[in-house]
Amino acid sequence: MAARIYQRPKNAMQSGKARTDEWVLDFEQTEARRADPLMGWTGSGDTQAQVQLTFPDKAAAQAYAAKHGIPARVHATPPRHLKLQAYADNFR
């Protein structure tokens, strides 16, 4: 029951940065997904893959994983690159 810890990325569909300061702990799948023969939906019996816990910082997420004996990998947050550009640059 391994887990991964990462910082939530900015939503690509919106310009706001809400909830990007949260850290997320979610469990990796232990069972393969399979298609339901009647409906065609994919699913599995692994209920831990549905669990997603949020924490205010990375240390709190790591402390939770250590306290409950969960082997967790921390994924580093990629740096944000700002493209600073003026409106006048469109006419160069």
Coordinates of all heavy atoms in Angstrom, one line a residue:
M1 N 0.8 -1.2 0.0 CA 0.0 0.0 0.0 C 0.9 1.2 0.0 O 1.0 2.0 1.0 CB -0.9 0.0 1.2 CG -1.8 1.2 1.4 SD -3.1 1.0 2.6 CE -2.2 1.2 4.1
A2 N 1.6 1.5 -1.1 CA 2.5 2.6 -1.2 C 1.6 3.9 -1.6 O 0.5 3.8 -2.1 CB 3.5 2.4 -2.3
A3 N 2.2 5.0 -1.3 CA 1.5 6.3 -1.5 C 2.5 7.2 -2.2 O 3.7 7.0 -2.1 CB 1.0 6.8 -0.2
R4 N 1.9 8.3 -2.7 CA 2.8 9.4 -3.2 C 2.3 10.7 -2.7 O 1.1 10.9 -2.4 CB 2.8 9.4 -4.8 CG 1.4 9.6 -5.4 CD 1.5 9.5 -6.9 NE 0.2 9.8 -7.4 CZ 0.0 10.6 -8.4 NH1 1.0 11.3 -9.0 NH2 -1.3 10.8 -8.8
I5 N 3.2 11.6 -2.4 CA 3.0 12.9 -1.9 C 3.4 13.9 -2.9 O 4.5 13.9 -3.4 CB 3.7 13.1 -0.5 CG1 3.2 12.1 0.5 CG2 3.5 14.5 0.0 CD1 4.0 12.1 1.8
Y6 N 2.5 14.8 -3.2 CA 2.8 15.9 -4.2 C 2.1 17.1 -3.9 O 1.1 17.1 -3.2 CB 2.6 15.4 -5.6 CG 1.1 15.0 -5.9 CD1 0.2 15.9 -6.4 CD2 0.6 13.7 -5.6 CE1 -1.1 15.6 -6.7 CE2 -0.7 13.4 -5.8 CZ -1.5 14.3 -6.4 OH -2.8 14.0 -6.6
Q7 N 2.5 18.2 -4.5 CA 1.8 19.5 -4.3 C 0.8 19.6 -5.5 O 1.2 19.4 -6.6 CB 2.8 20.7 -4.3 CG 2.1 21.9 -3.8 CD 3.1 23.0 -3.6 OE1 4.3 22.9 -4.0 NE2 2.7 24.0 -2.9
R8 N -0.4 20.0 -5.2 CA -1.4 20.1 -6.2 C -1.0 21.1 -7.3 O -0.7 22.3 -7.0 CB -2.7 20.5 -5.6 CG -3.9 20.3 -6.4 CD -5.2 20.8 -5.7 NE -5.5 20.1 -4.5 CZ -6.3 19.1 -4.4 NH1 -6.9 18.6 -5.4 NH2 -6.5 18.6 -3.2
P9 N -1.0 20.8 -8.6 CA -0.7 21.8 -9.6 C -1.8 22.7 -9.9 O -3.0 22.5 -9.5 CB -0.4 20.9 -10.8 CG -1.3 19.7 -10.6 CD -1.3 19.5 -9.1
K10 N -1.5 23.8 -10.6 CA -2.5 24.8 -10.9 C -3.4 24.2 -12.0 O -3.0 23.5 -12.9 CB -1.7 26.0 -11.5 CG -2.7 27.2 -11.9 CD -1.9 28.4 -12.4 CE -2.1 28.8 -13.8 NZ -3.3 28.5 -14.4
N11 N -4.6 24.5 -11.9 CA -5.6 24.1 -12.8 C -5.4 24.7 -14.2 O -5.3 25.9 -14.3 CB -7.0 24.4 -12.3 CG -8.1 23.8 -13.2 OD1 -7.8 23.2 -14.2 ND2 -9.3 23.8 -12.7
A12 N -5.2 23.9 -15.2 CA -4.9 24.4 -16.5 C -6.1 25.1 -17.2 O -6.0 25.9 -18.1 CB -4.5 23.3 -17.5
M13 N -7.3 24.9 -16.7 CA -8.5 25.4 -17.3 C -8.9 26.8 -16.7 O -9.8 27.5 -17.3 CB -9.7 24.5 -17.1 CG -9.5 23.1 -17.7 SD -9.1 23.1 -19.4 CE -10.6 23.6 -20.1
Q14 N -8.3 27.2 -15.6 CA -8.6 28.5 -15.0 C -7.3 29.2 -14.7 O -6.3 28.6 -14.5 CB -9.4 28.3 -13.8 CG -10.8 27.6 -14.1 CD -11.6 27.5 -12.9 OE1 -11.3 28.0 -11.8 NE2 -12.8 26.8 -13.0
S15 N -7.4 30.5 -14.5 CA -6.3 31.4 -14.3 C -5.9 31.4 -12.8 O -4.8 31.8 -12.4 CB -6.5 32.8 -14.8 OG -7.6 33.4 -14.2
G16 N -6.8 31.1 -11.9 CA -6.6 31.2 -10.5 C -5.7 30.2 -10.0 O -5.4 29.1 -10.6
K17 N -5.1 30.4 -8.8 CA -4.2 29.5 -8.1 C -4.8 28.9 -6.8 O -4.0 28.6 -5.9 CB -2.9 30.2 -7.9 CG -2.2 30.6 -9.2 CD -0.9 31.2 -8.9 CE -0.2 31.6 -10.2 NZ 0.8 32.6 -10.0
A18 N -6.1 28.8 -6.7 CA -6.7 28.3 -5.5 C -6.3 26.8 -5.3 O -6.1 26.0 -6.2 CB -8.2 28.3 -5.6
R19 N -6.0 26.5 -4.0 CA -5.7 25.1 -3.6 C -4.3 24.6 -4.1 O -4.1 23.4 -4.1 CB -6.8 24.2 -3.9 CG -8.1 24.5 -3.3 CD -9.2 23.6 -3.6 NE -8.9 22.2 -3.0 CZ -9.6 21.2 -3.3 NH1 -10.6 21.2 -4.1 NH2 -9.3 20.0 -2.8
T20 N -3.5 25.5 -4.6 CA -2.2 25.1 -5.1 C -1.2 25.0 -4.0 O -0.1 24.4 -4.2 CB -1.6 26.0 -6.2 OG1 -1.6 27.3 -5.7 CG2 -2.5 26.0 -7.4
D21 N -1.5 25.5 -2.8 CA -0.5 25.4 -1.7 C -0.8 24.1 -0.9 O 0.0 23.9 0.0 CB -0.7 26.6 -0.8 CG -2.1 26.9 -0.3 OD1 -3.0 26.3 -0.9 OD2 -2.2 27.6 0.6
E22 N -1.8 23.3 -1.2 CA -2.0 22.1 -0.5 C -1.1 21.0 -1.0 O -0.7 20.9 -2.2 CB -3.5 21.6 -0.7 CG -4.5 22.5 -0.1 CD -5.9 22.0 -0.4 OE1 -6.1 21.1 -1.3 OE2 -6.8 22.5 0.2
W23 N -0.8 20.0 -0.1 CA -0.1 18.8 -0.4 C -1.0 17.7 -0.4 O -1.9 17.6 0.5 CB 1.1 18.6 0.5 CG 2.2 19.6 0.2 CD1 2.3 20.9 0.6 CD2 3.4 19.3 -0.6 NE1 3.5 21.4 0.1 CE2 4.1 20.5 -0.6 CE3 3.8 18.2 -1.2 CZ2 5.3 20.6 -1.3 CZ3 5.1 18.3 -1.9 CH2 5.8 19.5 -1.9
V24 N -0.9 16.8 -1.3 CA -1.8 15.6 -1.5 C -1.1 14.3 -1.2 O 0.0 14.1 -1.7 CB -2.5 15.7 -2.9 CG1 -3.4 14.5 -3.0 CG2 -3.2 17.0 -3.1
L25 N -1.7 13.4 -0.5 CA -1.3 12.1 -0.3 C -2.3 11.2 -0.9 O -3.5 11.2 -0.4 CB -1.1 11.7 1.2 CG -0.5 10.4 1.5 CD1 0.5 10.5 2.6 CD2 -1.6 9.4 1.8
D26 N -2.0 10.5 -2.0 CA -2.9 9.5 -2.5 C -2.2 8.2 -2.7 O -1.0 8.1 -2.9 CB -3.6 10.0 -3.8 CG -2.6 10.3 -4.9 OD1 -1.4 10.1 -4.7 OD2 -3.1 10.6 -6.0
F27 N -3.0 7.1 -2.6 CA -2.4 5.7 -2.7 C -2.4 5.2 -4.1 O -3.2 5.5 -4.9 CB -3.3 4.8 -1.8 CG -3.4 5.2 -0.4 CD1 -4.3 6.0 0.2 CD2 -2.4 4.7 0.5 CE1 -4.4 6.3 1.5 CE2 -2.4 5.0 1.8 CZ -3.4 5.8 2.3
E28 N -1.3 4.5 -4.4 CA -1.1 3.9 -5.7 C -2.0 2.7 -5.8 O -2.3 2.0 -4.8 CB 0.3 3.5 -5.9 CG 1.2 4.7 -5.9 CD 2.7 4.3 -6.0 OE1 3.0 3.1 -6.0 OE2 3.5 5.3 -6.1
Q29 N -2.4 2.3 -7.0 CA -3.2 1.2 -7.2 C -2.5 -0.1 -7.0 O -1.3 -0.3 -7.4 CB -3.8 1.2 -8.7 CG -5.0 1.9 -8.8 CD -5.6 1.7 -10.2 OE1 -5.0 2.0 -11.2 NE2 -6.8 1.1 -10.3
T30 N -3.1 -1.0 -6.3 CA -2.5 -2.3 -6.0 C -3.2 -3.4 -6.9 O -2.7 -4.5 -6.9 CB -2.7 -2.7 -4.5 OG1 -4.1 -2.7 -4.2 CG2 -1.9 -1.7 -3.7
E31 N -4.3 -3.1 -7.5 CA -5.0 -4.1 -8.3 C -5.3 -3.5 -9.7 O -5.6 -2.3 -9.8 CB -6.4 -4.4 -7.6 CG -7.2 -5.5 -8.2 CD -8.4 -5.7 -7.4 OE1 -8.3 -5.9 -6.1 OE2 -9.5 -5.6 -8.0
A32 N -5.2 -4.3 -10.7 CA -5.4 -3.8 -12.0 C -6.9 -3.5 -12.3 O -7.8 -4.1 -11.7 CB -5.0 -4.9 -13.0
R33 N -7.1 -2.5 -13.1 CA -8.5 -2.1 -13.5 C -9.0 -3.1 -14.5 O -8.3 -3.6 -15.3 CB -8.6 -0.7 -14.0 CG -8.3 0.3 -13.0 CD -8.5 1.7 -13.6 NE -8.3 2.7 -12.7 CZ -9.3 3.3 -12.0 NH1 -10.6 3.0 -12.2 NH2 -9.1 4.3 -11.1
R34 N -10.3 -3.4 -14.4 CA -10.9 -4.3 -15.4 C -12.2 -3.7 -15.9 O -12.9 -2.9 -15.2 CB -11.1 -5.6 -14.8 CG -12.0 -5.7 -13.6 CD -11.9 -7.0 -12.9 NE -12.8 -7.0 -11.7 CZ -12.4 -6.5 -10.5 NH1 -11.3 -6.0 -10.4 NH2 -13.3 -6.6 -9.5
A35 N -12.6 -4.1 -17.1 CA -13.9 -3.6 -17.6 C -15.1 -4.4 -17.2 O -15.0 -5.6 -17.1 CB -13.8 -3.6 -19.2
D36 N -16.1 -3.7 -16.8 CA -17.4 -4.4 -16.4 C -18.0 -5.0 -17.7 O -18.2 -4.2 -18.7 CB -18.3 -3.4 -15.7 CG -19.6 -4.0 -15.3 OD1 -19.5 -4.8 -14.3 OD2 -20.6 -3.7 -15.8
P37 N -18.4 -6.2 -17.7 CA -18.9 -6.8 -18.9 C -20.3 -6.3 -19.3 O -20.6 -6.2 -20.5 CB -19.0 -8.3 -18.6 CG -18.9 -8.4 -17.2 CD -18.2 -7.2 -16.6
L38 N -21.1 -5.9 -18.4 CA -22.4 -5.4 -18.7 C -22.4 -3.9 -19.2 O -22.9 -3.6 -20.2 CB -23.3 -5.6 -17.5 CG -24.8 -5.1 -17.7 CD1 -25.4 -5.9 -18.8 CD2 -25.5 -5.2 -16.4
M39 N -21.8 -3.0 -18.4 CA -21.9 -1.6 -18.7 C -20.7 -1.1 -19.5 O -20.7 -0.1 -20.1 CB -22.0 -0.8 -17.4 CG -23.3 -1.1 -16.6 SD -24.8 -0.7 -17.5 CE -24.7 1.0 -17.5
G40 N -19.5 -1.8 -19.4 CA -18.3 -1.3 -20.0 C -17.5 -0.4 -19.2 O -16.5 0.2 -19.7
W41 N -17.9 0.0 -18.0 CA -17.2 0.9 -17.2 C -15.9 0.2 -16.6 O -15.9 -1.0 -16.4 CB -18.0 1.4 -16.0 CG -19.2 2.2 -16.4 CD1 -19.4 2.8 -17.6 CD2 -20.4 2.4 -15.6 NE1 -20.7 3.4 -17.6 CE2 -21.3 3.2 -16.4 CE3 -20.8 2.0 -14.3 CZ2 -22.5 3.6 -15.9 CZ3 -22.0 2.5 -13.9 CH2 -22.8 3.2 -14.7
T42 N -14.9 0.9 -16.4 CA -13.7 0.3 -15.8 C -13.7 0.5 -14.3 O -14.2 1.6 -13.8 CB -12.4 0.9 -16.3 OG1 -12.4 2.3 -16.1 CG2 -12.3 0.7 -17.8
G43 N -13.3 -0.4 -13.5 CA -13.3 -0.4 -12.1 C -12.3 -1.4 -11.5 O -11.8 -2.2 -12.2
S44 N -12.2 -1.4 -10.2 CA -11.4 -2.4 -9.5 C -11.9 -2.5 -8.1 O -12.7 -1.7 -7.6 CB -9.9 -2.0 -9.5 OG -9.7 -0.9 -8.6
G45 N -11.5 -3.5 -7.4 CA -11.9 -3.7 -6.0 C -11.0 -3.0 -5.0 O -11.2 -3.1 -3.8
D46 N -10.0 -2.2 -5.5 CA -9.1 -1.5 -4.7 C -9.7 -0.2 -4.2 O -9.8 0.8 -5.0 CB -7.8 -1.3 -5.4 CG -6.8 -0.6 -4.6 OD1 -6.9 -0.6 -3.4 OD2 -5.8 0.0 -5.2
T47 N -10.2 -0.1 -3.0 CA -10.8 1.1 -2.5 C -9.8 2.1 -2.1 O -10.2 3.3 -2.0 CB -11.8 0.8 -1.4 OG1 -11.1 0.1 -0.3 CG2 -12.9 -0.1 -1.9
Q48 N -8.6 1.7 -1.8 CA -7.6 2.7 -1.3 C -7.2 3.7 -2.4 O -6.8 4.8 -2.2 CB -6.3 2.0 -0.8 CG -6.5 1.4 0.5 CD -6.6 2.4 1.7 OE1 -6.6 3.6 1.5 NE2 -6.7 1.9 2.8
A49 N -7.4 3.3 -3.7 CA -7.0 4.2 -4.8 C -7.9 5.3 -4.9 O -7.6 6.3 -5.6 CB -7.0 3.4 -6.1
Q50 N -9.1 5.3 -4.3 CA -10.1 6.4 -4.3 C -9.8 7.4 -3.2 O -10.3 8.5 -3.2 CB -11.5 5.8 -4.1 CG -11.9 4.8 -5.1 CD -13.2 4.2 -4.8 OE1 -13.9 4.6 -3.8 NE2 -13.6 3.1 -5.5
V51 N -8.9 7.1 -2.2 CA -8.7 8.0 -1.1 C -7.6 9.0 -1.5 O -6.6 8.7 -2.1 CB -8.2 7.2 0.1 CG1 -7.8 8.1 1.3 CG2 -9.2 6.2 0.5
Q52 N -7.9 10.3 -1.2 CA -7.0 11.4 -1.5 C -7.0 12.3 -0.2 O -8.1 12.9 0.0 CB -7.4 12.1 -2.7 CG -6.4 13.1 -3.2 CD -6.8 13.7 -4.5 OE1 -7.8 14.3 -4.6 NE2 -6.0 13.5 -5.6
L53 N -5.9 12.4 0.5 CA -5.8 13.2 1.7 C -5.1 14.5 1.4 O -4.1 14.4 0.7 CB -5.1 12.4 2.8 CG -5.8 11.1 3.2 CD1 -4.9 10.4 4.2 CD2 -7.1 11.3 3.8
T54 N -5.5 15.6 1.9 CA -4.8 16.9 1.7 C -4.2 17.4 3.0 O -4.8 17.1 4.1 CB -5.8 18.0 1.2 OG1 -6.9 18.1 2.1 CG2 -6.3 17.6 -0.2
F55 N -3.1 18.0 2.9 CA -2.4 18.5 4.1 C -1.9 19.9 3.8 O -1.7 20.3 2.6 CB -1.1 17.6 4.4 CG -1.5 16.2 4.8 CD1 -1.6 15.2 3.8 CD2 -1.8 15.9 6.1 CE1 -2.0 13.9 4.1 CE2 -2.2 14.6 6.4 CZ -2.2 13.6 5.4
P56 N -1.7 20.7 4.8 CA -1.3 22.1 4.6 C 0.2 22.2 4.2 O 0.5 23.2 3.5 CB -1.4 22.8 6.0 CG -1.4 21.7 7.0 CD -2.0 20.5 6.3
D57 N 1.0 21.3 4.5 CA 2.4 21.3 4.1 C 3.0 19.9 3.9 O 2.4 18.9 4.3 CB 3.3 22.2 5.0 CG 3.3 21.6 6.4 OD1 2.5 20.7 6.7 OD2 4.0 22.2 7.3
K58 N 4.2 19.8 3.3 CA 4.8 18.6 3.0 C 5.2 17.8 4.3 O 5.0 16.6 4.3 CB 6.1 18.8 2.1 CG 6.8 17.5 1.8 CD 7.9 17.7 0.8 CE 9.0 18.6 1.3 NZ 10.2 18.6 0.4
A59 N 5.6 18.5 5.3 CA 6.0 17.9 6.5 C 4.9 17.1 7.2 O 5.0 16.1 7.8 CB 6.6 18.9 7.5
A60 N 3.7 17.7 7.1 CA 2.5 17.1 7.7 C 2.1 15.8 7.0 O 1.7 14.8 7.6 CB 1.3 18.1 7.7
A61 N 2.2 15.9 5.7 CA 1.9 14.7 4.9 C 2.9 13.5 5.2 O 2.6 12.4 5.3 CB 1.9 15.0 3.4
Q62 N 4.2 13.9 5.3 CA 5.2 12.9 5.6 C 5.0 12.4 7.0 O 5.2 11.2 7.2 CB 6.6 13.5 5.4 CG 7.0 13.7 4.0 CD 8.3 14.4 3.9 OE1 8.7 15.3 4.7 NE2 9.1 14.1 2.8
A63 N 4.7 13.2 7.9 CA 4.4 12.8 9.3 C 3.3 11.8 9.4 O 3.3 10.8 10.1 CB 4.2 14.0 10.2
Y64 N 2.2 12.1 8.6 CA 1.1 11.2 8.6 C 1.4 9.8 8.1 O 1.1 8.8 8.6 CB -0.1 11.8 7.8 CG -1.3 10.9 7.7 CD1 -2.3 10.9 8.6 CD2 -1.4 10.0 6.6 CE1 -3.4 10.1 8.5 CE2 -2.5 9.2 6.5 CZ -3.5 9.3 7.5 OH -4.6 8.4 7.4
A65 N 2.2 9.8 7.0 CA 2.6 8.6 6.4 C 3.5 7.8 7.3 O 3.4 6.5 7.4 CB 3.3 8.8 5.0
A66 N 4.4 8.5 8.0 CA 5.3 7.8 8.9 C 4.6 7.2 10.1 O 4.9 6.1 10.6 CB 6.4 8.7 9.4
K67 N 3.6 8.0 10.6 CA 2.8 7.5 11.8 C 2.0 6.3 11.5 O 1.9 5.4 12.3 CB 1.9 8.7 12.2 CG 1.0 8.3 13.4 CD 0.1 9.5 13.7 CE -0.8 9.1 14.9 NZ -1.8 10.2 15.2
H68 N 1.5 6.2 10.3 CA 0.7 5.0 9.9 C 1.4 3.9 9.2 O 0.8 3.0 8.7 CB -0.5 5.5 9.1 CG -1.5 6.4 9.9 ND1 -2.4 5.9 10.8 CD2 -1.6 7.7 9.9 CE1 -3.0 6.8 11.4 NE2 -2.6 8.0 10.8
G69 N 2.7 4.1 9.0 CA 3.5 3.1 8.4 C 3.3 2.9 6.9 O 3.4 1.8 6.4
I70 N 3.0 4.0 6.2 CA 2.8 4.0 4.8 C 4.1 4.4 4.1 O 4.6 5.5 4.3 CB 1.6 5.0 4.5 CG1 0.4 4.6 5.2 CG2 1.4 5.0 3.0 CD1 -0.7 5.7 5.1
P71 N 4.6 3.5 3.3 CA 5.8 3.9 2.5 C 5.4 5.0 1.4 O 4.5 4.7 0.6 CB 6.3 2.6 1.8 CG 5.1 1.7 1.8 CD 4.2 2.1 3.0
A72 N 5.9 6.2 1.5 CA 5.5 7.2 0.6 C 6.7 7.8 -0.1 O 7.8 8.0 0.4 CB 4.8 8.3 1.4
R73 N 6.4 8.2 -1.4 CA 7.4 8.9 -2.2 C 7.0 10.3 -2.4 O 5.8 10.6 -2.7 CB 7.6 8.2 -3.6 CG 8.2 6.8 -3.6 CD 8.3 6.3 -5.0 NE 6.9 6.2 -5.5 CZ 6.5 6.2 -6.7 NH1 7.4 6.4 -7.7 NH2 5.3 6.1 -7.1
V74 N 7.9 11.2 -2.2 CA 7.6 12.6 -2.4 C 8.0 13.1 -3.8 O 9.2 12.9 -4.2 CB 8.3 13.5 -1.3 CG1 8.0 15.0 -1.5 CG2 7.9 13.1 0.1
H75 N 7.1 13.6 -4.5 CA 7.4 14.1 -5.9 C 7.6 15.6 -5.8 O 6.8 16.4 -5.2 CB 6.2 13.9 -6.8 CG 6.0 12.4 -7.1 ND1 6.6 11.7 -8.1 CD2 5.2 11.5 -6.5 CE1 6.3 10.5 -8.1 NE2 5.4 10.3 -7.1
A76 N 8.8 16.1 -6.2 CA 9.1 17.5 -6.1 C 8.2 18.3 -7.0 O 7.8 17.9 -8.1 CB 10.6 17.7 -6.6
T77 N 8.0 19.5 -6.5 CA 7.1 20.5 -7.3 C 8.0 21.1 -8.4 O 9.0 21.7 -8.1 CB 6.6 21.5 -6.3 OG1 5.9 20.9 -5.3 CG2 5.6 22.5 -7.1
P78 N 7.5 21.1 -9.6 CA 8.3 21.7 -10.7 C 8.2 23.2 -10.5 O 7.2 23.8 -10.1 CB 7.6 21.3 -12.0 CG 6.3 20.9 -11.6 CD 6.4 20.4 -10.1
P79 N 9.3 23.9 -10.8 CA 9.3 25.4 -10.7 C 8.3 26.0 -11.7 O 8.1 25.6 -12.8 CB 10.7 25.8 -11.0 CG 11.3 24.7 -11.8 CD 10.6 23.5 -11.4
R80 N 7.7 27.1 -11.2 CA 6.8 27.9 -12.1 C 7.6 28.9 -12.9 O 8.4 29.7 -12.4 CB 5.7 28.6 -11.2 CG 4.9 27.6 -10.5 CD 3.8 28.3 -9.8 NE 3.0 27.3 -9.0 CZ 2.5 27.5 -7.8 NH1 2.8 28.6 -7.2 NH2 1.8 26.6 -7.3
H81 N 7.3 28.9 -14.2 CA 8.0 29.9 -15.1 C 7.0 30.9 -15.5 O 5.9 30.6 -16.1 CB 8.5 29.2 -16.3 CG 9.5 28.1 -16.0 ND1 10.8 28.4 -15.5 CD2 9.5 26.8 -16.1 CE1 11.5 27.3 -15.4 NE2 10.7 26.3 -15.6
L82 N 7.3 32.2 -15.2 CA 6.4 33.2 -15.6 C 6.9 33.8 -16.9 O 8.1 34.1 -17.1 CB 6.3 34.3 -14.5 CG 5.7 33.9 -13.2 CD1 5.9 35.1 -12.2 CD2 4.3 33.6 -13.4
K83 N 6.0 34.0 -17.8 CA 6.3 34.6 -19.1 C 5.8 36.0 -19.0 O 4.7 36.3 -19.3 CB 5.6 33.9 -20.3 CG 6.0 34.4 -21.6 CD 5.3 33.6 -22.7 CE 5.7 34.2 -24.0 NZ 5.0 33.5 -25.1
L84 N 6.7 36.9 -18.7 CA 6.4 38.3 -18.5 C 6.5 39.0 -19.9 O 7.5 39.0 -20.6 CB 7.4 39.0 -17.6 CG 7.3 38.5 -16.1 CD1 8.4 39.2 -15.3 CD2 6.0 38.6 -15.5
Q85 N 5.3 39.6 -20.3 CA 5.2 40.1 -21.6 C 4.3 41.3 -21.6 O 3.3 41.2 -20.9 CB 4.8 39.0 -22.5 CG 4.1 39.4 -23.8 CD 3.7 38.2 -24.6 OE1 4.3 37.1 -24.4 NE2 2.8 38.3 -25.5
A86 N 4.6 42.3 -22.3 CA 3.7 43.5 -22.4 C 2.8 43.4 -23.6 O 3.1 42.6 -24.6 CB 4.5 44.8 -22.5
Y87 N 1.7 44.1 -23.6 CA 0.8 44.1 -24.8 C 1.5 44.6 -26.0 O 1.2 44.1 -27.1 CB -0.4 45.0 -24.5 CG -1.4 45.0 -25.5 CD1 -2.2 44.0 -25.9 CD2 -1.6 46.2 -26.3 CE1 -3.1 44.0 -26.9 CE2 -2.5 46.3 -27.3 CZ -3.3 45.2 -27.6 OH -4.2 45.3 -28.6
A88 N 2.5 45.5 -25.9 CA 3.2 46.1 -27.0 C 4.1 45.0 -27.7 O 4.4 45.2 -28.9 CB 4.0 47.3 -26.6
D89 N 4.4 43.9 -27.0 CA 5.2 42.9 -27.6 C 4.5 42.2 -28.7 O 5.1 41.5 -29.6 CB 5.7 41.9 -26.5 CG 6.6 42.5 -25.6 OD1 7.3 43.6 -25.9 OD2 6.8 41.9 -24.5
N90 N 3.2 42.3 -28.8 CA 2.4 41.6 -29.8 C 2.6 42.3 -31.2 O 2.3 41.7 -32.2 CB 0.9 41.6 -29.5 CG 0.6 40.8 -28.3 OD1 1.3 39.8 -28.0 ND2 -0.5 41.1 -27.6
F91 N 3.1 43.5 -31.2 CA 3.2 44.3 -32.4 C 4.7 44.5 -32.8 O 5.0 45.3 -33.6 CB 2.6 45.6 -32.3 CG 1.1 45.5 -31.9 CD1 0.7 45.7 -30.6 CD2 0.2 45.1 -32.8 CE1 -0.6 45.5 -30.2 CE2 -1.2 45.0 -32.5 CZ -1.6 45.2 -31.2
R92 N 5.6 43.7 -32.3 CA 7.0 43.8 -32.7 C 7.3 43.1 -34.0 O 6.8 42.1 -34.3 CB 7.9 43.3 -31.6 CG 8.0 44.2 -30.5 CD 9.0 43.8 -29.5 NE 9.0 44.7 -28.3 CZ 9.8 44.7 -27.3 NH1 10.7 43.8 -27.3 NH2 9.7 45.5 -26.4

